[in-house]
Amino acid sequence: MSARTRSLAAMAAASGLLLTACGGNSSDGAASDQPIKIGIIADLTGATGDVGAPYNDGMKAYIDWRNSDGGIEGRQIEALSNDYAYEVPKAESLYKQYLNDEVVAIQGWGTGDTEALSASVGNDELPFMSGSFAEPLTNPEEAPYNFVVAPTYSDQMRVALNWIAEDAGGKGEVAVFHNDSPFGTAPVEDGKKWISEKKLDLGYEAYAMPGGKQNYVGLLAQAKKQGAKYIVIQNVASPAALVAKDIAAQKLDMKIVCLNWCANELFIDSAGAKVAEGHLLIQPFAPMSADKEGHKVITDYIKAKGIDEKKVGTSWVQGWYAMDIMAGGIEKTLKDGDDLTGANIRKALETMGGQDTGGVVGDGTVEFTAESHRGSSATGIYQAKGGKMVEVQAGATP
């Protein structure tokens, strides 16, 4: 059952979000009334904290809302949420802690840590979703307990390149500015392969973005020398905004095409509406400004809680629906009368059919199978106009 279809009538009797960093011996029996423990590995203060913190807020808000609405089959969700500051060793340590705390599933974050934990997740049979949309995580043969809710970074890159080829009139130069990490490099080679496979007449060069830089004049000089008119950015919002400012300051004829984690309101706000104007945003999760049916439950929740709607950006929405999809698998497991084990949750996620997100994720439906853990291959395309994300195309696919 989608989050958008559940009643908010019980909100007044909210029991509140249960957050703890200490373990407990919770039962995983189908008839248990014990809380359902979910571990959260969050980046609140690290290199991607600008989008990691609101993503975490969205997950916690969903849990608060779900608990106030009776939980999952009458059982409350207990979230063990901790900051790992985008450091893989800390993520590995938290994973071990959560394993000892007997969580039934984990919500992770980055590509490097998600991939580093993938083998352990498989061995421990622990369903794992995260903010990483790296393509290898969709293959059950390689990552049997990883589930990717949205289109992969590679699918987003393919959509971006298709759009660029059309916008450029069939021929152009593309520079890819990427975070210098597994997250940043995830779609780079697949983009190059896509150009070759589809015989797109596009030049394509990739450039790593050094951390801690106050400007990207040097990278833009290289892109200018290449003749690039399009800059695809695989990074978070803050550095992407700096690139936009440098493009504007130098009056360069270049258009940014942001993928997922810089395709949000934070990019527009950080760059400034005038500077961001016209740049493209490849975003699989519809922002609140798109006003999809699946946003209503969020709107009702934030009004009831007195949360400023301006603080509910796309990353927050992503966190909400990532947790909603995980909760759907847990709910089916309990409804089927199965014990709440990782293997049973995996089976539920693979067999429950499409989960309706009311138009928020991809083409509106997220569906996993035993053959593929790619929840969707469709993404929205938005453009920065007047300080807002304006939908150019819904449900674009490679």
Side-chain angles (χ1 to χ4, degrees):
M1 184 185 300
S2 168
R4 70 187 178 90
T5 63
R6 300 186 184 94
S7 167
L8 288 169
M11 187 170 289
S15 59
L17 173 64
L18 300 172
L19 286 174
T20 179
C22 60
N25 186 24
S26 61
S27 170
D28 60 2
S32 172
D33 60 357
Q34 294 297 307
I36 298 166
K37 292 186 179 182
I38 297 177
I40 299 177
I41 299 172
D43 182 15
L44 307 180
T45 61
T48 61
D50 59 348
V51 288
Y55 181 87
N56 188 59
D57 288 342
M59 286 194 293
K60 292 193 295 183
Y62 175 85
I63 293 170
D64 182 37
W65 169 78
R66 189 68 188 260
N67 281 344
S68 72
D69 198 38
I72 302 177
E73 292 297 290
R75 292 175 62 177
Q76 297 284 285
I77 304 169
E78 183 177 355
L80 288 66
S81 181
N82 288 278
D83 178 21
Y84 82 113
Y86 209 62
E87 296 178 13
V88 173
K90 287 187 178 180
E92 293 172 329
S93 177
L94 281 175
Y95 175 78
K96 292 176 182 177
Q97 174 185 321
Y98 292 158
L99 200 63
N100 289 335
D101 289 336
E102 298 182 332
V103 300
V104 300
I106 288 183
Q107 290 281 9
W109 176 245
T111 297
D113 37 282
T114 299
E115 291 183 335
L117 290 169
S118 184
S120 296
V121 166
N123 290 334
D124 297 326
E125 298 187 338
L126 197 58
F128 194 108
M129 294 178 185
S130 77
S132 172
F133 307 130
E135 195 144 291
L137 299 172
T138 67
N139 185 352
E141 293 186 2
E142 296 181 18
Y145 279 82
N146 288 93
F147 291 85
V148 178
V149 172
T152 66
Y153 298 135
S154 297
D155 276 341
Q156 294 175 45
M157 176 68 82
R158 294 173 186 118
V159 169
L161 293 172
N162 288 349
W163 184 90
I164 289 170
E166 182 175 348
D167 188 68
K171 184 176 182 178
E173 286 287 330
V174 180
V176 180
F177 288 6
H178 63 85
N179 189 289
D180 191 13
S181 68
F183 150 61
T185 59
V188 173
E189 286 303 312
D190 284 336
K192 186 182 296 185
K193 291 176 183 177
W194 186 252
I195 289 173
S196 176
E197 179 183 334
K198 295 299 177 181
K199 297 181 173 54
L200 301 178
D201 194 1
L202 297 175
Y204 185 90
E205 296 292 337
Y207 307 89
M209 301 175 75
K213 294 291 182 181
Q214 294 304 306
N215 64 65
Y216 292 96
V217 172
L219 285 187
L220 285 170
Q222 295 180 61
K224 184 178 179 181
K225 184 177 180 181
Q226 178 194 335
K229 295 293 182 70
Y230 299 91
I231 310 293
V232 175
I233 300 185
Q234 169 69 348
N235 208 327
V236 293
S238 301
L242 291 177
V243 174
K245 289 179 179 179
D246 290 338
I247 288 173
Q250 297 179 60
K251 296 182 170 59
L252 298 175
D253 182 18
M254 293 178 177
K255 183 170 289 186
I256 289 173
V257 183
C258 266
L259 305 186
N260 198 95
W261 290 113
C262 65
N264 50 41
E265 303 87 350
L266 182 57
F267 163 73
I268 297 173
D269 293 343
S270 299
K274 185 176 179 180
V275 168
E277 185 77 13
H279 292 307
L280 265 290
L281 311 167
I282 308 298
Q283 179 53 259
F285 293 80
M288 296 296 287
S289 60
D291 195 23
K292 302 293 184 181
E293 184 183 355
H295 288 136
K296 185 179 185 303
V297 66
I298 295 176
T299 299
D300 290 346
Y301 173 82
I302 63 176
K303 284 183 178 178
K305 291 292 182 178
I307 297 172
D308 184 354
E309 62 180 11
K310 293 180 181 179
K311 294 183 179 181
V312 179
T314 304
S315 299
W316 196 102
V317 173
Q318 287 185 268
W320 178 287
Y321 269 97
M323 191 62 79
D324 180 53
I325 299 302
M326 178 71 83
I330 294 172
E331 181 179 44
K332 185 178 189 302
T333 303
L334 294 177
K335 281 187 172 181
D336 288 346
D338 293 331
D339 286 345
L340 203 56
T341 65
N344 285 337
I345 296 172
R346 174 190 173 183
K347 181 182 70 173
L349 287 167
E350 291 177 340
T351 60
M352 67 188 301
Q355 296 193 63
D356 181 12
T357 67
V360 174
V361 185
D363 60 3
T365 301
V366 174
E367 182 171 4
F368 306 110
T369 67
E371 291 72 36
S372 175
H373 288 179
R374 185 194 308 260
S376 174
S377 60
T379 179
I381 301 177
Y382 299 83
Q383 189 167 33
K385 290 185 178 180
K388 295 183 178 181
M389 295 174 67
V390 177
E391 190 174 74
V392 175
Q393 182 179 349
T397 55

PDB file of all heavy atoms in Angstrom, residues 11 21 37 45 97 110 119-120 143 218 241 251 259 261 290 294 301 304 310 326 330 334 342 355 358 396:
ATOM      1  N   MET A  11      -3.052  10.785  13.524  1.00  0.00           N
ATOM      2  CA  MET A  11      -1.880  11.597  13.821  1.00  0.00           C
ATOM      3  C   MET A  11      -1.956  12.250  15.199  1.00  0.00           C
ATOM      4  O   MET A  11      -0.954  12.443  15.874  1.00  0.00           O
ATOM      5  CB  MET A  11      -1.700  12.664  12.737  1.00  0.00           C
ATOM      6  CG  MET A  11      -0.399  13.437  12.891  1.00  0.00           C
ATOM      7  SD  MET A  11      -0.081  14.458  11.461  1.00  0.00           S
ATOM      8  CE  MET A  11       0.323  13.185  10.281  1.00  0.00           C
ATOM      9  N   ALA A  21      20.237   4.592  19.700  1.00  0.00           N
ATOM     10  CA  ALA A  21      21.522   4.100  19.218  1.00  0.00           C
ATOM     11  C   ALA A  21      21.915   2.851  19.994  1.00  0.00           C
ATOM     12  O   ALA A  21      23.029   2.374  19.906  1.00  0.00           O
ATOM     13  CB  ALA A  21      22.591   5.176  19.378  1.00  0.00           C
ATOM     14  N   LYS A  37      12.924  -2.945  13.931  1.00  0.00           N
ATOM     15  CA  LYS A  37      14.156  -2.166  13.932  1.00  0.00           C
ATOM     16  C   LYS A  37      14.725  -2.015  12.519  1.00  0.00           C
ATOM     17  O   LYS A  37      14.928  -3.008  11.815  1.00  0.00           O
ATOM     18  CB  LYS A  37      15.199  -2.815  14.834  1.00  0.00           C
ATOM     19  CG  LYS A  37      14.866  -2.769  16.311  1.00  0.00           C
ATOM     20  CD  LYS A  37      16.022  -3.316  17.127  1.00  0.00           C
ATOM     21  CE  LYS A  37      15.730  -3.261  18.622  1.00  0.00           C
ATOM     22  NZ  LYS A  37      16.869  -3.758  19.417  1.00  0.00           N
ATOM     23  N   THR A  45      27.106  15.202   8.248  1.00  0.00           N
ATOM     24  CA  THR A  45      28.169  16.189   8.406  1.00  0.00           C
ATOM     25  C   THR A  45      29.316  16.006   7.429  1.00  0.00           C
ATOM     26  O   THR A  45      30.289  16.763   7.473  1.00  0.00           O
ATOM     27  CB  THR A  45      28.737  16.127   9.831  1.00  0.00           C
ATOM     28  OG1 THR A  45      29.282  14.813  10.072  1.00  0.00           O
ATOM     29  CG2 THR A  45      27.665  16.414  10.869  1.00  0.00           C
ATOM     30  N   GLN A  97      27.320  -2.812  14.134  1.00  0.00           N
ATOM     31  CA  GLN A  97      26.514  -2.448  15.297  1.00  0.00           C
ATOM     32  C   GLN A  97      25.042  -2.804  15.058  1.00  0.00           C
ATOM     33  O   GLN A  97      24.380  -3.386  15.925  1.00  0.00           O
ATOM     34  CB  GLN A  97      26.647  -0.954  15.581  1.00  0.00           C
ATOM     35  CG  GLN A  97      25.737  -0.434  16.698  1.00  0.00           C
ATOM     36  CD  GLN A  97      25.825   1.073  16.852  1.00  0.00           C
ATOM     37  OE1 GLN A  97      26.904   1.656  16.733  1.00  0.00           O
ATOM     38  NE2 GLN A  97      24.693   1.713  17.090  1.00  0.00           N
ATOM     39  N   GLY A 110      25.851   6.302   0.776  1.00  0.00           N
ATOM     40  CA  GLY A 110      26.748   6.534  -0.354  1.00  0.00           C
ATOM     41  C   GLY A 110      27.077   5.312  -1.183  1.00  0.00           C
ATOM     42  O   GLY A 110      26.905   4.174  -0.755  1.00  0.00           O
ATOM     43  N   ALA A 119      28.646  -7.286  -0.129  1.00  0.00           N
ATOM     44  CA  ALA A 119      28.914  -8.713   0.100  1.00  0.00           C
ATOM     45  C   ALA A 119      28.435  -9.140   1.485  1.00  0.00           C
ATOM     46  O   ALA A 119      27.820 -10.207   1.640  1.00  0.00           O
ATOM     47  CB  ALA A 119      30.402  -8.998  -0.056  1.00  0.00           C
ATOM     48  N   SER A 120      28.694  -8.310   2.489  1.00  0.00           N
ATOM     49  CA  SER A 120      28.244  -8.631   3.852  1.00  0.00           C
ATOM     50  C   SER A 120      26.727  -8.662   3.931  1.00  0.00           C
ATOM     51  O   SER A 120      26.136  -9.533   4.574  1.00  0.00           O
ATOM     52  CB  SER A 120      28.782  -7.587   4.842  1.00  0.00           C
ATOM     53  OG  SER A 120      30.186  -7.615   4.898  1.00  0.00           O
ATOM     54  N   ALA A 143      24.476  -8.529  -6.230  1.00  0.00           N
ATOM     55  CA  ALA A 143      24.074  -7.843  -4.998  1.00  0.00           C
ATOM     56  C   ALA A 143      22.671  -8.302  -4.605  1.00  0.00           C
ATOM     57  O   ALA A 143      21.699  -7.564  -4.760  1.00  0.00           O
ATOM     58  CB  ALA A 143      24.118  -6.334  -5.211  1.00  0.00           C
ATOM     59  N   GLY A 218      39.425  26.292 -13.457  1.00  0.00           N
ATOM     60  CA  GLY A 218      40.363  25.435 -14.172  1.00  0.00           C
ATOM     61  C   GLY A 218      39.664  24.353 -14.970  1.00  0.00           C
ATOM     62  O   GLY A 218      40.004  24.096 -16.140  1.00  0.00           O
ATOM     63  N   ALA A 241      26.568  24.313  -7.855  1.00  0.00           N
ATOM     64  CA  ALA A 241      26.214  25.735  -7.811  1.00  0.00           C
ATOM     65  C   ALA A 241      27.435  26.611  -8.071  1.00  0.00           C
ATOM     66  O   ALA A 241      27.337  27.660  -8.732  1.00  0.00           O
ATOM     67  CB  ALA A 241      25.588  26.078  -6.466  1.00  0.00           C
ATOM     68  N   LYS A 251      30.741  34.408 -18.410  1.00  0.00           N
ATOM     69  CA  LYS A 251      29.826  34.563 -19.554  1.00  0.00           C
ATOM     70  C   LYS A 251      30.055  33.469 -20.598  1.00  0.00           C
ATOM     71  O   LYS A 251      30.091  33.723 -21.811  1.00  0.00           O
ATOM     72  CB  LYS A 251      29.978  35.948 -20.186  1.00  0.00           C
ATOM     73  CG  LYS A 251      29.574  37.098 -19.264  1.00  0.00           C
ATOM     74  CD  LYS A 251      29.713  38.425 -19.964  1.00  0.00           C
ATOM     75  CE  LYS A 251      29.094  39.570 -19.167  1.00  0.00           C
ATOM     76  NZ  LYS A 251      29.682  39.727 -17.824  1.00  0.00           N
ATOM     77  N   LEU A 259      22.661  15.619 -12.611  1.00  0.00           N
ATOM     78  CA  LEU A 259      22.043  14.332 -12.313  1.00  0.00           C
ATOM     79  C   LEU A 259      21.653  14.302 -10.835  1.00  0.00           C
ATOM     80  O   LEU A 259      22.322  14.882  -9.980  1.00  0.00           O
ATOM     81  CB  LEU A 259      23.007  13.181 -12.615  1.00  0.00           C
ATOM     82  CG  LEU A 259      23.604  13.110 -14.022  1.00  0.00           C
ATOM     83  CD1 LEU A 259      24.414  11.815 -14.181  1.00  0.00           C
ATOM     84  CD2 LEU A 259      22.538  13.196 -15.102  1.00  0.00           C
ATOM     85  N   TRP A 261      21.641  14.117  -7.500  1.00  0.00           N
ATOM     86  CA  TRP A 261      21.963  14.748  -6.230  1.00  0.00           C
ATOM     87  C   TRP A 261      22.348  16.219  -6.334  1.00  0.00           C
ATOM     88  O   TRP A 261      22.536  16.882  -5.307  1.00  0.00           O
ATOM     89  CB  TRP A 261      23.038  13.944  -5.498  1.00  0.00           C
ATOM     90  CG  TRP A 261      22.479  12.644  -5.022  1.00  0.00           C
ATOM     91  CD1 TRP A 261      22.812  11.392  -5.459  1.00  0.00           C
ATOM     92  CD2 TRP A 261      21.447  12.456  -4.046  1.00  0.00           C
ATOM     93  NE1 TRP A 261      22.056  10.443  -4.824  1.00  0.00           N
ATOM     94  CE2 TRP A 261      21.204  11.070  -3.950  1.00  0.00           C
ATOM     95  CE3 TRP A 261      20.691  13.319  -3.246  1.00  0.00           C
ATOM     96  CZ2 TRP A 261      20.247  10.528  -3.085  1.00  0.00           C
ATOM     97  CZ3 TRP A 261      19.736  12.791  -2.393  1.00  0.00           C
ATOM     98  CH2 TRP A 261      19.532  11.407  -2.318  1.00  0.00           C
ATOM     99  N   ALA A 290       6.221  20.047  -8.393  1.00  0.00           N
ATOM    100  CA  ALA A 290       5.566  19.320  -9.493  1.00  0.00           C
ATOM    101  C   ALA A 290       4.134  18.935  -9.141  1.00  0.00           C
ATOM    102  O   ALA A 290       3.357  18.566 -10.022  1.00  0.00           O
ATOM    103  CB  ALA A 290       6.380  18.077  -9.859  1.00  0.00           C
ATOM    104  N   GLY A 294       1.183  11.838  -5.177  1.00  0.00           N
ATOM    105  CA  GLY A 294       1.916  11.281  -4.051  1.00  0.00           C
ATOM    106  C   GLY A 294       2.495  12.307  -3.102  1.00  0.00           C
ATOM    107  O   GLY A 294       3.011  11.960  -2.033  1.00  0.00           O
ATOM    108  N   TYR A 301       1.144  16.009   6.133  1.00  0.00           N
ATOM    109  CA  TYR A 301       2.009  15.758   7.284  1.00  0.00           C
ATOM    110  C   TYR A 301       2.713  17.030   7.736  1.00  0.00           C
ATOM    111  O   TYR A 301       2.701  17.376   8.933  1.00  0.00           O
ATOM    112  CB  TYR A 301       3.046  14.685   6.941  1.00  0.00           C
ATOM    113  CG  TYR A 301       4.085  14.482   8.018  1.00  0.00           C
ATOM    114  CD1 TYR A 301       3.827  13.688   9.129  1.00  0.00           C
ATOM    115  CD2 TYR A 301       5.337  15.118   7.929  1.00  0.00           C
ATOM    116  CE1 TYR A 301       4.784  13.522  10.133  1.00  0.00           C
ATOM    117  CE2 TYR A 301       6.285  14.953   8.920  1.00  0.00           C
ATOM    118  CZ  TYR A 301       6.012  14.167  10.022  1.00  0.00           C
ATOM    119  OH  TYR A 301       6.954  14.012  11.011  1.00  0.00           O
ATOM    120  N   ALA A 304       0.396  19.449   9.426  1.00  0.00           N
ATOM    121  CA  ALA A 304       0.027  19.004  10.771  1.00  0.00           C
ATOM    122  C   ALA A 304       1.161  19.203  11.770  1.00  0.00           C
ATOM    123  O   ALA A 304       0.932  19.476  12.946  1.00  0.00           O
ATOM    124  CB  ALA A 304      -0.391  17.532  10.731  1.00  0.00           C
ATOM    125  N   LYS A 310       9.020  25.235   2.681  1.00  0.00           N
ATOM    126  CA  LYS A 310      10.236  25.601   1.956  1.00  0.00           C
ATOM    127  C   LYS A 310      11.419  24.730   2.362  1.00  0.00           C
ATOM    128  O   LYS A 310      12.419  24.665   1.641  1.00  0.00           O
ATOM    129  CB  LYS A 310      10.555  27.072   2.200  1.00  0.00           C
ATOM    130  CG  LYS A 310       9.534  28.038   1.591  1.00  0.00           C
ATOM    131  CD  LYS A 310       9.906  29.479   1.872  1.00  0.00           C
ATOM    132  CE  LYS A 310       8.873  30.434   1.281  1.00  0.00           C
ATOM    133  NZ  LYS A 310       9.197  31.850   1.565  1.00  0.00           N
ATOM    134  N   MET A 326      10.620   0.540   1.329  1.00  0.00           N
ATOM    135  CA  MET A 326      11.087  -0.491   2.257  1.00  0.00           C
ATOM    136  C   MET A 326       9.941  -0.970   3.139  1.00  0.00           C
ATOM    137  O   MET A 326       9.754  -2.176   3.356  1.00  0.00           O
ATOM    138  CB  MET A 326      12.216   0.064   3.134  1.00  0.00           C
ATOM    139  CG  MET A 326      12.752  -0.919   4.164  1.00  0.00           C
ATOM    140  SD  MET A 326      13.717  -2.256   3.438  1.00  0.00           S
ATOM    141  CE  MET A 326      15.319  -1.432   3.289  1.00  0.00           C
ATOM    142  N   ILE A 330       8.159  -4.822   4.033  1.00  0.00           N
ATOM    143  CA  ILE A 330       7.951  -5.314   5.398  1.00  0.00           C
ATOM    144  C   ILE A 330       6.469  -5.603   5.628  1.00  0.00           C
ATOM    145  O   ILE A 330       6.092  -6.631   6.215  1.00  0.00           O
ATOM    146  CB  ILE A 330       8.482  -4.294   6.415  1.00  0.00           C
ATOM    147  CG1 ILE A 330      10.011  -4.179   6.301  1.00  0.00           C
ATOM    148  CG2 ILE A 330       8.079  -4.672   7.835  1.00  0.00           C
ATOM    149  CD1 ILE A 330      10.614  -3.064   7.117  1.00  0.00           C
ATOM    150  N   LEU A 334       4.605  -9.308   6.644  1.00  0.00           N
ATOM    151  CA  LEU A 334       3.745  -9.547   7.801  1.00  0.00           C
ATOM    152  C   LEU A 334       2.339  -9.962   7.381  1.00  0.00           C
ATOM    153  O   LEU A 334       1.725 -10.838   8.001  1.00  0.00           O
ATOM    154  CB  LEU A 334       3.689  -8.300   8.675  1.00  0.00           C
ATOM    155  CG  LEU A 334       5.014  -7.903   9.348  1.00  0.00           C
ATOM    156  CD1 LEU A 334       4.855  -6.604  10.126  1.00  0.00           C
ATOM    157  CD2 LEU A 334       5.515  -9.016  10.266  1.00  0.00           C
ATOM    158  N   GLY A 342      15.210 -11.281   6.847  1.00  0.00           N
ATOM    159  CA  GLY A 342      15.695 -10.629   5.637  1.00  0.00           C
ATOM    160  C   GLY A 342      15.307 -11.378   4.379  1.00  0.00           C
ATOM    161  O   GLY A 342      14.930 -10.767   3.373  1.00  0.00           O
ATOM    162  N   GLN A 355       4.788  -0.878  -6.662  1.00  0.00           N
ATOM    163  CA  GLN A 355       4.350  -0.033  -5.558  1.00  0.00           C
ATOM    164  C   GLN A 355       4.060   1.365  -6.106  1.00  0.00           C
ATOM    165  O   GLN A 355       4.929   2.001  -6.707  1.00  0.00           O
ATOM    166  CB  GLN A 355       5.419   0.038  -4.464  1.00  0.00           C
ATOM    167  CG  GLN A 355       5.686  -1.309  -3.786  1.00  0.00           C
ATOM    168  CD  GLN A 355       6.503  -1.160  -2.521  1.00  0.00           C
ATOM    169  OE1 GLN A 355       6.083  -0.528  -1.569  1.00  0.00           O
ATOM    170  NE2 GLN A 355       7.689  -1.747  -2.498  1.00  0.00           N
ATOM    171  N   GLY A 358       2.265   7.474  -6.566  1.00  0.00           N
ATOM    172  CA  GLY A 358       1.471   8.648  -6.922  1.00  0.00           C
ATOM    173  C   GLY A 358       2.199   9.621  -7.829  1.00  0.00           C
ATOM    174  O   GLY A 358       2.024  10.833  -7.718  1.00  0.00           O
ATOM    175  N   ALA A 396      10.879  10.158 -18.497  1.00  0.00           N
ATOM    176  CA  ALA A 396      11.824   9.957 -19.593  1.00  0.00           C
ATOM    177  C   ALA A 396      12.633   8.694 -19.338  1.00  0.00           C
ATOM    178  O   ALA A 396      13.086   8.435 -18.218  1.00  0.00           O
ATOM    179  CB  ALA A 396      12.749  11.151 -19.718  1.00  0.00           C
TER     180      ALA A 396
END
